[in-house]
Amino acid sequence: MGKRRGGRELLRSLSKRQKKHLREFGEEHPFYDQGEGIGLLPNTVLLLLVLRSCFPFQSENSDKSSAESDSETEVEQISVYHKLLATLKTSPESESEEEEDESESEEAGESETEMDSEGSQEAEEADGDEESKNGVPDQEEGEYNPFLSLTKVTGTDAAEQTLTQEQADGADTSCDPSHGVIEEFTDVKHESEFSLETNFMEEESGDCNADQRDSNPFKQHMDKEFGEKEVEKMSTLPKTSSQSKWPRLGQLTFSSTLEKHKTLKADKEVDVKQLYLHKPLESTWPKVNKQFLSSVNKPSDPCFTPLQRELFCIMNTYRDLFYPERNALTNGEEIRHAYCLHALNHVLKANAQVLSNNAKRRDQKPGTEKDDYRDQGLTRPKVLMIVPFRECALRIVHIFISLLEVNDKRKIDVSNKKRFKGEFGSDPEEKPPNLKRPEDYEAVFAGNIDDHFRIGVAILQKSMRLYAPFYSSDIIIASPLGMRTIIGAEGEKKRDFDFLSSIEILIIDQADIYLMQNWEHVLHLIKHINLLPLDSHGVDFSRVRMMNLNNWSKYYRQTLLFSALQDPQINSIFNKHCFNYVGQVAVRNMPLTGSISHVVVQLPHVFRRLEAESLTSVIDTRFQFFVDKVLPEYRDAIMSHTLIYVPSYFDYVRLRNYFKKEDLNFTHICEYTKKAGVCRARRFFLKGEKQFLLFTERFHFYKRYRIKGIRNLIFYELPTYSHFYSEICNMLKATDSAVDGTWTCTVLYSKYDAQKLAAVVGIDRTAQMLQSKKNVHLFVTGEN
């Protein structure tokens, strides 16, 4: 905020643009009037936005040149409209954005003071090494300009007036010292080519009648209309659920707020023509998916694996889906291909409908009544795909390209493909030396594992545009951190989330990895999806669906959630933030045998139950239970070489501070420990110079080091990944076998750890352990 001068009270309350207009014209411009104490409701914002389509106006510069020729009534009408538009940003944070320095040289350096790197706070919260910051798109001159943002944008002007995609990490211009400021990506050359407003359906594509051909299921889902009473019921009534068992997915739970709910049945065989795929996908999908098909596949079902068939059967009904059995080694790529097919199919259908309606509107005779062509959202992006690493985004784009290329002779035009490969690909020479890591580790961390990225993809007819500006994109592929840095936090000047207002399909893949990164970024993203935009971004309101205008987009959004495990935090996303009117489908298979069966060493496992009054108090209860009842048993020098496995970093810090306070002989390793500190701690623990080793789960997730010298294990809490339990236990075999008779393993658990406990010991043992009200000591060995 700029410095203030004493003196004139009038100038003290004016922004820079208001002062400039006051000096030039001798009066305050009504466009920048700010109402005091005005709180806008969503319906009010919509009313003001809709006025945009009723009262077209010119740019700011043209207003000055044509002011003399305009009539009195026209000037007065535009001024009133501008006053209404000014309230669009009337909020404490927007008012603070307009407070500027009162200096005479206000034009000079206006944008330079606001070009700081974005997301410094978010980078501190992120895991791993320091992230290079992306340049975040913003309005010109670093401040909000409602006039430019509400002007109709078409053709090449869109690249200059809409939000453009930032330079990505890695090989972008921010790494070049010759560039003083990160340049925004504009790509004016391809702007008009990919504009939905200026293109029409090609006759040779054969999809001119796509709106009739795709009557099921795309149009059935998107064209469904509700009244206010029905929406109120969906938001207030509890969900009814039913169970069903499918051959491949297993136990499914169907839930919905609709009174008449029909359980979906699995299709034993799938005919591609019955799936209503967009024309090019019918021929390309069998070729792209051929790598996953076995020779024993049924002739009547030559396109899908059994898993893909059942997953796509649910996706194609536009129900929400939660699949917690994704495995990077076995079915990860199968699932990725299935949801890429669904996302691309949705985008092609939606764009074909818009282009077809463009042609109908163009061919209408003058004077005839205009039909109601409502086929768009408030912003163009329709699909948001959240993935953890750049390598995942690279594979998704390659699948898109393969699905769009009908044959080798008919290649699609992919703009900025070379830059994309350079920034999202990996260098084979950067691969670390031959380190022995588990196969699942190699599968998860293959390729470029940078977790700070976002990229817009525009798809139109026979071409694809990478690095498209968000407001000109159909699909956005990003990481949670990449979204967090552009969404920003309340009170920040540089933040934008309007492009998330009309997301129709949200895909969150590998959700379990975000528990190891920063789960708060996912929650922050979910809170900003399907909110009413603050600006119109050049939308034609006569083409916007009523469900978007009514702020009911969240009831039409399909959420596809894939994870390697069931976790309460992931479950809460699906249960509390998915409002699809069609309903939700969740896979709920309980493990019969847990990961304890994979322990190869002869080791007694003692599970000690702690009693907690509520979920919020379990953290303190666990700490007191550990300090009062568990730790005293290990203070003796006989119980040396004790590794304490701590899943939560906050619990780790609490234990570390307590150990320091009690002056215990210990060392510690976490995900933030430097390499030298890790080597030193491992050496001290192996030689017995340190009795205790505090060890975090996220360090094990990212490094997978084998810790030698363990004789006693304490699981402060059950691991997030069940197979980590057997991995840690099997580390004891690296110790001298002569002392294996003294090995111990103690696990703390409560009734709120039912899912994690079942993944470790199996569902039957879990039921027995949870039914007992007393502390249960269960002794088992790896042979059980």
Side-chain angles (χ1 to χ4, degrees), residues 314-457:
I314 299 173
M315 293 180 194
N316 209 35
T317 61
Y318 282 89
R319 287 175 169 88
D320 295 334
L321 171 64
F322 176 35
Y323 182 72
E325 298 178 11
R326 185 195 190 280
N327 189 302
L329 275 174
T330 57
N331 58 18
E333 288 303 313
E334 284 184 63
I335 295 172
R336 179 178 285 126
H337 277 67
Y339 70 66
C340 283
L341 172 66
H342 177 60
L344 190 59
N345 186 43
H346 178 84
V347 169
L348 291 176
K349 288 181 179 181
N351 287 353
Q353 186 182 37
V354 173
L355 299 180
S356 177
N357 288 340
N358 287 347
K360 293 178 181 178
R361 287 166 59 96
R362 177 191 58 183
D363 297 337
Q364 275 185 336
K365 297 180 180 179
T368 59
E369 294 183 1
K370 293 185 178 180
D371 294 331
D372 192 16
Y373 298 112
R374 296 197 175 273
D375 50 19
Q376 303 177 18
L378 289 167
T379 52
R380 180 171 171 177
K382 308 169 187 64
V383 178
L384 175 62
M385 309 178 80
I386 302 299
V387 291
F389 305 118
R390 285 179 181 260
E391 174 68 17
C392 305
L394 179 71
R395 296 184 183 185
I396 288 173
V397 171
H398 284 169
I399 294 173
F400 286 162
I401 295 174
S402 301
L403 288 173
L404 291 174
E405 289 182 343
V406 178
N407 49 53
D408 295 336
K409 297 180 180 179
R410 189 178 175 182
K411 298 285 186 180
I412 67 167
D413 181 21
V414 182
S415 60
N416 312 305
K417 187 176 181 180
K418 183 178 180 181
R419 177 191 170 188
F420 175 75
K421 287 184 176 180
E423 295 182 1
F424 283 77
S426 59
D427 188 355
E429 298 179 358
E430 293 180 356
K431 189 176 182 179
N434 294 329
L435 298 176
K436 292 183 179 180
R437 295 289 185 269
E439 292 182 354
D440 66 295
Y441 178 90
E442 297 290 347
V444 170
F445 292 98
N448 191 334
I449 58 172
D450 179 25
D451 64 347
H452 189 186
F453 63 91
R454 50 186 179 262
I455 182 172
V457 181

Side-chain angles (χ1 to χ4, degrees), residues 78-342:
I78 294 178
S79 299
V80 172
Y81 173 60
H82 286 168
K83 287 182 179 181
L84 289 175
L85 288 177
T87 63
L88 282 174
K89 276 280 189 174
T90 304
S91 62
E93 77 176 71
S94 64
E95 291 175 0
S96 62
E97 290 180 18
E98 291 187 358
E99 293 180 351
E100 300 290 346
D101 192 357
E102 199 178 40
S103 172
E104 292 286 334
S105 59
E106 57 190 8
E107 291 86 358
E110 191 171 51
S111 61
E112 297 175 359
T113 59
E114 296 183 5
M115 293 302 293
D116 300 329
S117 301
E118 182 196 8
S120 60
Q121 179 181 358
E122 289 78 9
E124 292 175 1
E125 298 173 357
D127 306 321
D129 301 333
E130 294 182 358
E131 304 286 341
S132 59
K133 305 295 183 294
N134 283 354
V136 177
D138 200 4
Q139 301 287 349
E140 273 192 9
E141 302 180 350
E143 64 181 52
Y144 169 71
N145 190 333
F147 190 88
L148 286 179
S149 61
L150 287 172
T151 305
K152 178 68 177 178
V153 180
T154 55
T156 57
D157 294 335
E160 302 176 23
Q161 297 182 10
T162 58
L163 182 67
T164 54
Q165 170 67 14
E166 64 286 355
Q167 290 283 5
D169 297 280
D172 60 359
T173 56
S174 61
C175 301
D176 190 349
S178 62
H179 292 77
V181 179
I182 298 177
E183 297 180 359
E184 295 178 353
F185 190 84
T186 54
D187 192 17
V188 180
K189 175 182 177 182
H190 299 92
E191 189 67 38
S192 60
E193 178 185 348
F194 285 88
S195 174
L196 288 179
E197 292 82 2
T198 58
N199 277 272
F200 304 94
M201 176 64 65
E202 293 185 0
E203 294 182 1
E204 62 182 29
S205 68
D207 280 319
C208 296
N209 297 322
D211 51 345
Q212 289 118 8
R213 178 178 178 271
D214 295 337
S215 59
N216 184 18
F218 169 75
K219 282 186 66 63
Q220 287 185 356
H221 179 71
M222 300 306 299
D223 292 348
K224 181 74 174 180
E225 294 186 2
F226 293 102
E228 293 184 2
K229 293 183 179 180
E230 293 174 299
V231 173
E232 185 179 356
K233 289 182 180 180
M234 286 191 289
S235 59
T236 56
L237 292 179
K239 296 179 181 179
T240 59
S241 60
S242 61
Q243 305 292 329
S244 178
K245 191 171 183 179
W246 285 21
R248 179 61 180 83
L249 293 179
Q251 194 70 28
L252 302 185
T253 300
F254 293 82
S255 58
S256 174
T257 54
L258 298 179
E259 296 179 1
K260 296 181 180 179
H261 178 66
K262 295 182 180 180
T263 302
L264 187 66
K265 294 183 179 180
D267 293 332
K268 296 181 179 180
E269 299 176 356
V270 176
D271 185 1
V272 179
K273 296 182 179 180
Q274 295 178 354
L275 295 176
Y276 295 93
L277 294 178
H278 200 70
K279 185 178 179 180
L281 301 181
E282 291 182 359
S283 58
T284 58
W285 170 248
K287 300 176 184 177
V288 173
N289 201 49
K290 185 178 181 180
Q291 55 181 314
F292 304 109
L293 302 177
S294 63
S295 57
V296 297
N297 226 43
K298 296 180 180 180
S300 58
D301 185 18
C303 305
F304 293 87
T305 65
L307 175 63
Q308 288 176 332
R309 180 177 65 249
E310 296 185 7
L311 286 176
F312 194 81
C313 179
I314 299 173
M315 293 180 194
N316 209 35
T317 61
Y318 282 89
R319 287 175 169 88
D320 295 334
L321 171 64
F322 176 35
Y323 182 72
E325 298 178 11
R326 185 195 190 280
N327 189 302
L329 275 174
T330 57
N331 58 18
E333 288 303 313
E334 284 184 63
I335 295 172
R336 179 178 285 126
H337 277 67
Y339 70 66
C340 283
L341 172 66
H342 177 60

Side-chain angles (χ1 to χ4, degrees), residues 693-709:
L693 171 61
L694 293 179
F695 188 81
T696 64
E697 183 175 66
R698 286 207 291 182
F699 176 83
H700 183 65
F701 174 79
Y702 283 106
K703 299 299 182 181
R704 295 290 186 92
Y705 288 173
R706 187 169 67 166
I707 307 299
K708 295 182 178 181

Side-chain angles (χ1 to χ4, degrees), residues 37-55:
I38 299 176
L40 285 181
L41 298 174
N43 290 338
T44 310
V45 176
L46 274 178
L47 177 61
L48 298 177
L49 290 176
V50 173
L51 288 176
R52 161 67 180 84
S53 61
C54 302
F55 299 100

